[in-house]
């Protein structure tokens, strides 16, 4: 018996659910509704359209074989009816109807459904800044906005761009402006780091260095006070710390579930409006499904519900909904939050909790940092990867991993590898043993992902008197206090420049000389050892400990990490 | 109480175990013995030294900071005594002694141990071919051999190189000869595919195409009969099918555990001489540890013991042994066999079982193939990745995954992601939901690793009448039999060339026209649909099924896969 399924929303999750359902039940009737004229586009591609790497918005709307996914495409190829320019105004759950309205003609209609999918996605947060209605201030979340931005940029109308918000979209837009168009670009972020909530603070500092090395001004811990303009067009962003000239302002301060219609229909939602769904993505009304940016699902690390507005989540959940509409029983237990972002020279990626999030969620957590080549150190084309692991001390569980690397794919190869381990509450011992693929062009015999777990193991066992790269930077900045004694354990050649630049503070005792020169090392100061990446200083620290130096630490990541932090060193 | 640990073998596992143990127990005495003059080198780097990508063998022996890991290095930096040029001749387990002999002076000695590590690695298999003692025939497993090969190549003495064996080392050496030195290179392999035991046959065919596209002659299903020479130097390889001129022959027909000393000491070994160890890497004598290429450990997919001679396994197991020597309790339950190899344009990688291995191990297994872009299809820099998943039909368990891609790191990002899932007996539903990182420069919103599981799900459910790319090739080669009806479901422009080249056999019915032209499709033939990558033909097949065409299949991977197979199409 054929049923009628209505899908409200025709981007990502909606089309996926509709098409999956139709594939399983070809004789079903599916009506998909969207208030916009253009549907089923890859919204995540907008920064690459703005940069010019993607030529036209049509590319973002097309199949891999250049067929535009418009209403006619869905009708012909998928037998799905699509109503564009059509807004769903309300749901009557009792009567199982949706009221719709044509946004161009104002024409209204009431459609009956057997089952309903709410796929209305998210909407950009629009803080009530003074002057927010000025021309030239816009989010970058749909194709209409994307075209306005791209046209302005391509027509040479933008000399100064300001991005409000240093999350994924914000940074991708900043890169697009600065890298591809040479626009003077600034990012203003309320929190004290880029990628807040995703990158641990020390890695975020490294990402910031990449942005700043490429002429992007990054203003952290800074809030927009108002926008100023002339002739109705923005000219300045006024923050609590400065004025920034601006022809274009991108608002990228996060998104919220676009779920008024669900709230009004009495479907259970959390306080921010995210719809509560079960593992099958059914809402509190079993005839109504939802997913993607509309919903909240359990975080598999914390057990608490989270919000994961990502195209990949929407697609995977759309398939699950399609299967369940067809009478199947597909489920997703939750998510851990995995992500990646390409900046300039560097790419960043992570999964699970940062140290800050782990502590805030009540875990007795630590994190450790490793700098290591992303493939065999003797292989010619390679990069020094930064990788951090977050560990629950009592249970040894891996709670998260984050990193940065020049070769982004090589970084995602490590983050992806631990996604199943984080999801399944595996321990760092599982990461130490993790059988990542090995051959010199791709990885090391003791790969960085194994190594970072080994370092955590040593720290937990008390064998590694570990100092975080950011803490080294703090100590070094405070070097005149007289409490620290810095030892560079590289061979004299490697340490020469630093010794010459800082003869009072920088001491060179290579590993090979620790034993014979142990008496040079003071016992009344905090000894801090450093080398190129942390490998030699760790061993030097062990030896010095054995020889009676107790107040000692080894700086993880060594000078490699300090350079990425752009430390004053 | 300090104990004396003897480590026999000073490459990979030996040094790792020794150094880890010394870090945990600085006052212990460790003696490491090796019969070679040079130790602790990255043997996996030999093909890259031969190619010239790595300049000197010293690079393979050095730390990431260019310090040579010789006996003096281990003494000074690790407080490990190393005896080079020293062969361990026997073990007296009762007396806990090892007899050693200096291979240069013949001097003998007996050393006492409290605990012993057998890290003698593997030795290259040397089949008893006639003429094998001719000059110019050599394995490529140690630095001495590597230098001889590199010198011959660099001195222009090699015009024709023949590699016997199409495993990892064989193919890496073939690439080094052909790519970097322009040497006429042939690979002779006894089995009917390259990378036997690692790649499924259809993917192996694709890898072979990459080799052949780059002027490497690949002779499969072919056995060496004898080597011929002049003046004691090889000139020809005679196989059962041809004669191949050769100035240099690399024997790369696998390795075997180098464990005579363990066998003679009565330590429990399997029939091929691989030492049986427990999860702590203790042998049948609890005072003796072993690992790496010497041992056999359980395969986590089959439960049967396997042999994993890989530098990464050796390093991870070395650390475990070091921990346990120090009184710890580190374990590794087993391995699944993960690997990767860089060829010319293509890299290959895999983990777990191939379809052939799964069937041979009694699984009721299937595999499916997907061709999909390795990142968002609208992103400019991308490649069409080939990926196969092997699934146990009754339990839906993922048994293995293998693939090929131009961007090798992007491929390892997918293989690494499923390593923990294969190890933990997860299902394809876990792979469908696998939360791999997403952003357009790195992956697709429905990533290929999720997609390949979705295809397997559809095949198991009977929704996808799936045809393997290799089977399509077979059908097409047999097109004149009249049993098949080939339909290209691409739009006319895409299908034009094929229609013109094969007017009698190649029919073009785009997805958009299936419904109206359904009567053109015969019901008395095996209908085979194909498109660019398999996405459109899958949907066309569903629609045709719905309209009553039952004897129909959709060719997975489409023309993309056929091109990689170098099919006659």
């Amino acid at each position: 018996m054929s049923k009628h399924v209505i899908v409200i929303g025709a981007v990502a999750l909606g089309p996926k659910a509709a098409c999956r359902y139709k594939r399983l039940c070809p004789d079903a009737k599916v009506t998909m509704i969207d208030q916009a004229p253009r549907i089923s586009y890859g919204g995540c591609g907008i920064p690459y359209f703005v940069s010019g790497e993607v030529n036209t918005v049509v590319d973002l709307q097309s199949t891999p074989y250049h067929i535009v996914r418009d209403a006619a495409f869905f009708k012909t190829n998928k037998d799905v009816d699509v109503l564009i320019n059509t807004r769903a105004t309300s749901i009557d759950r009792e009567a199982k109807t949706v009221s719709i309205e044509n946004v161009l003609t104002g024409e209204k209609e009431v459609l009956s459904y057997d089952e309903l999918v709410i796929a209305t996605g998210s909407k950009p947060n629009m803080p009530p800044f003074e002057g927010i209605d000025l021309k030239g201030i816009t989010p970058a979340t749909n194709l209409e906005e994307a075209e306005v931005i791209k046209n302005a940029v391509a027509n040479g109308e933008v000399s100064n761009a300001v991005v409000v918000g240093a999350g994924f979209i914000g940074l991708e837009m900043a890169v697009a402006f600065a890298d591809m168009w040479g626009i003077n670009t600034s990012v203003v972020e309320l929190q004290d780091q880029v990628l807040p909530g995703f990158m641990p603070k020390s890695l975020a500092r490294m990402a910031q260095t990449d942005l700043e090395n490429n002429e992007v001004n990054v203003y952290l811990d800074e809030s927009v006070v108002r926008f100023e303009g002339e002739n109705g067009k923005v000219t300045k962003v006024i923050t609590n710390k400065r004025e920034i000239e601006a022809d274009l302002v991108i608002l990228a301060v996060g998104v919220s579930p676009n779920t008024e219609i669900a709230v009004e229909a009495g479907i259970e939602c959390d306080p921010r409006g995210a719809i509560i769904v079960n593992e099958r993505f059914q809402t509190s009304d079993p005839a109504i499904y939802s997913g993607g940016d509309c919903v909240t699902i359990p975080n598999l690390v914390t057990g608490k519900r989270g919000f994961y507005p990502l195209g990949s989540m929407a697609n995977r959940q759309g398939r699950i909904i399609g299967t369940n509409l067809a009478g199947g029983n597909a489920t997703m237990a939750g998510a851990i939050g995995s992500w990646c972002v390409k900046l300039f020279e560097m790419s960043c990626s992570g999964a699970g909790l940062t140290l800050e999030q782990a502590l805030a969620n009540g875990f007795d957590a630590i994190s450790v940092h490793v700098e290591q080549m992303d493939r065999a150190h003797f292989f010619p084309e390679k990069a020094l990867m930064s990788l951090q692991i977050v560990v629950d001390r009592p249970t040894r569980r891996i709670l998260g991993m984050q990193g940065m690397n020049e070769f982004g794919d090589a970084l995602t190869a490590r983050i992806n590898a631990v996604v199943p381990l984080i999801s399944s509450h595996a321990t760092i011992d599982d990461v130490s043993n993790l059988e990542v693929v090995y051959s010199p062009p791709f990885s090391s015999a003791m790969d960085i992902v194994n190594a970072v777990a080994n370092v955590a193991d040593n720290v937990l066992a008390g064998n590694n008197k570990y100092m975080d790269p950011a803490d080294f930077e703090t100590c070094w900045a405070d070097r005149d206090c007289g409490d620290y004694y810095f030892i560079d354990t590289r061979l004299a050649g490697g340490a020469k420049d630093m010794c010459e630049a800082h003869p009072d503070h920088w001491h060179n005792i290579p590993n090979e000389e620790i034993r014979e020169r142990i008496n040079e090392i003071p016992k009344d100061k905090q000894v801090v050892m450093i080398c190129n990446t942390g490998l030699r200083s760790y061993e030097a620290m062990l030896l010095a400990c054995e020889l009676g130096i107790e107040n000692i630490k080894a700086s993880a990541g060594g000078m490699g990490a300090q350079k990425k932090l752009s430390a004053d060193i």
Side-chain angles (χ1 to χ4, degrees), chain A:
Chain A
M1 198 179 57
S2 157
K3 62 185 177 187
H4 184 209
V5 170
I6 296 181
V7 178
I8 309 176
V11 177
L13 182 129
K16 189 79 204 171
C19 296
R20 168 70 178 163
Y21 173 49
K22 278 294 293 185
R23 283 186 199 126
L24 295 174
C25 298
D27 57 345
K29 177 169 167 56
V30 177
T31 306
M32 192 157 61
I33 295 165
D34 204 287
Q35 60 185 4
R38 289 179 291 196
I39 59 170
S40 199
Y41 55 85
C44 327
I46 288 174
Y48 309 97
F49 164 66
V50 169
S51 74
E53 289 162 288
V54 174
N55 286 328
T56 70
V57 286
V58 176
D59 294 328
L60 299 181
Q61 280 177 276
S62 302
T63 72
Y65 296 101
H66 312 299
I67 299 170
V68 179
R69 290 187 302 255
D70 56 12
F73 168 82
F74 280 97
K75 183 62 196 171
T76 306
N77 290 58
K78 315 281 186 174
D79 191 28
V80 169
D81 294 302
V82 182
L83 305 174
I84 58 167
N85 297 315
T86 300
R87 202 157 64 87
T89 51
S90 66
I91 301 166
D92 183 337
R93 298 198 284 124
E94 199 73 29
K96 285 195 162 188
T97 58
V98 177
S99 298
I100 61 172
E101 180 179 13
N102 186 304
V103 297
L104 304 180
T105 64
E107 202 178 330
K108 291 177 183 170
E109 202 179 339
V110 175
L111 304 180
S112 292
Y113 65 79
D114 294 299
E115 288 180 294
L116 180 69
V117 179
I118 299 177
T120 42
S122 57
K123 58 190 175 198
N125 293 334
M126 300 289 280
F129 297 131
E130 186 189 328
I132 200 168
D133 294 327
L134 287 163
K135 236 188 109 188
I137 302 177
T138 177
T141 52
N142 66 36
L143 294 187
E144 290 69 34
E145 294 156 357
E147 281 186 321
V148 168
I149 296 167
K150 174 76 168 281
N151 287 339
V153 167
N155 294 337
E157 294 163 17
V158 183
S159 301
N160 299 290
V162 176
V163 176
V164 183
F168 300 126
I169 297 176
L171 295 190
E172 286 170 344
M173 292 301 290
V175 171
F177 293 141
D179 199 31
M180 296 299 186
W181 298 99
I183 293 169
N184 182 22
T185 304
S186 303
V187 176
V188 179
E189 167 59 47
L190 190 62
Q191 297 194 48
D192 62 354
Q193 64 162 95
V194 300
L195 299 173
F198 293 94
M199 276 287 241
K201 244 178 228 180
S202 52
L203 278 173
R205 278 282 316 284
M206 296 182 176
Q208 183 184 342
T209 300
D210 184 49
L211 295 164
E212 290 172 341
N213 285 346
N214 289 277
E215 314 297 333
V216 172
N217 307 306
V218 181
Y219 302 125
L220 301 177
D221 218 354
E222 193 159 328
S223 53
V224 170
V225 173
R226 67 176 182 279
F227 301 116
E228 291 186 356
E230 282 171 25
N231 304 323
K233 192 172 176 321
V234 70
T235 55
K236 268 184 197 167
V237 177
I238 314 295
T239 76
N240 59 340
K241 295 185 183 171
R242 79 196 76 225
E243 296 188 9
I244 314 169
E245 286 188 42
D247 316 303
L248 178 66
V249 175
I250 303 297
L251 291 172
V253 290
V255 298
S256 295
N258 183 27
T259 50
E260 285 83 354
I261 196 170
V263 173
E264 283 165 14
I267 293 167
E268 193 187 357
C269 294
D270 77 3
R272 89 185 112 185
I275 299 172
I276 312 276
V277 289
N278 65 17
E279 289 193 343
R280 300 179 72 243
F281 290 84
Q282 277 171 307
T283 68
S284 56
D285 181 335
I288 303 180
Y289 292 81
S290 188
D293 295 10
C294 294
V295 306
T296 173
I297 61 173
N299 181 297
L300 295 173
V301 182
T302 65
K304 300 170 189 165
R305 280 182 181 267
F307 179 51
Y308 306 96
L310 209 63
S312 52
M313 295 301 286
N315 268 278
R316 291 191 287 262
Q317 295 171 6
R319 185 175 193 272
I320 288 172
I321 291 172
T323 302
N324 291 337
L325 286 169
N329 189 28
T331 62
M332 178 186 283
I336 62 167
S338 71
W339 57 272
C340 55
V341 62
K342 185 176 186 308
L343 302 180
F344 292 93
E345 277 72 41
M346 295 295 171
S347 292
C348 303
S349 181
L353 307 184
T354 62
L355 177 61
E356 293 87 348
Q357 290 170 323
L359 296 172
N361 275 282
F363 289 102
D364 175 12
I366 64 157
S367 78
V368 302
H369 182 108
V370 166
E371 294 280 326
Q372 187 180 310
M373 288 299 167
D374 62 356
R375 53 209 80 213
H377 65 79
F378 53 76
F379 197 75
E381 190 178 59
K382 58 185 178 276
L384 192 60
M385 185 185 290
S386 307
L387 200 63
Q388 293 194 2
I389 191 170
V390 184
V391 184
D392 181 48
R393 193 193 302 264
T395 61
R396 301 172 69 81
R397 259 179 71 192
I398 170 174
L399 303 174
M401 184 175 283
Q402 297 87 28
M404 185 177 91
N405 195 42
E406 184 185 336
F407 300 111
D409 286 338
L411 175 61
T412 67
R414 274 64 177 205
I415 301 297
N416 279 349
V418 297
V419 163
L421 297 180
I422 296 171
S423 307
S424 65
H425 297 196
T427 68
I428 52 169
D429 308 300
D430 299 310
V431 185
S432 288
N433 283 340
L434 181 59
E435 203 179 336
V436 285
V437 298
Y438 169 60
S439 131
F442 302 109
S443 47
S444 298
M446 184 61 91
D447 192 65
I448 183 169
V449 75
N450 304 126
V452 76
N454 293 344
V455 172
D457 174 45
N458 289 333
V459 170
L460 289 182
N463 300 323
N464 187 341
K465 299 187 172 195
Y466 173 95
M467 176 176 269
D468 188 77
D471 292 337
F472 178 89
E473 193 191 3
T474 307
C475 292
W476 177 247
D478 199 24
R479 58 190 175 274
D480 286 325
C481 74
D483 295 344
Y484 302 109
Y485 191 86
F486 296 94
I487 301 178
D488 189 330
T489 75
R490 293 178 292 182
L491 291 172
K496 191 161 161 276
D497 288 352
M498 283 299 291
C499 288
E500 285 175 5
H502 304 282
D504 295 342
H505 294 105
W506 201 262
H507 310 91
N508 180 217
I509 308 183
N511 288 38
E512 292 75 4
E513 300 172 16
I514 297 281
R515 201 175 285 276
E516 63 201 63
R517 294 172 60 187
I518 191 71
N519 291 329
E520 291 178 32
I521 304 178
K523 292 190 172 174
D524 60 341
K525 292 190 178 187
Q526 171 69 62
V527 176
V528 181
M529 287 181 154
I530 192 165
C531 63
N532 260 321
T533 61
L535 208 57
R536 283 172 62 88
S537 63
Y538 165 57
E539 295 206 329
M541 176 270 293
L542 288 177
L543 181 54
C545 275
E546 186 198 342
L547 299 173
I549 308 296
E550 284 174 4
N551 193 15
I552 186 169
K553 291 197 167 181
S555 179
M559 296 297 286
Q562 295 304 313
K563 280 174 200 153
K564 289 181 182 173
L565 283 169
S566 198
D568 174 28
I569 199 167

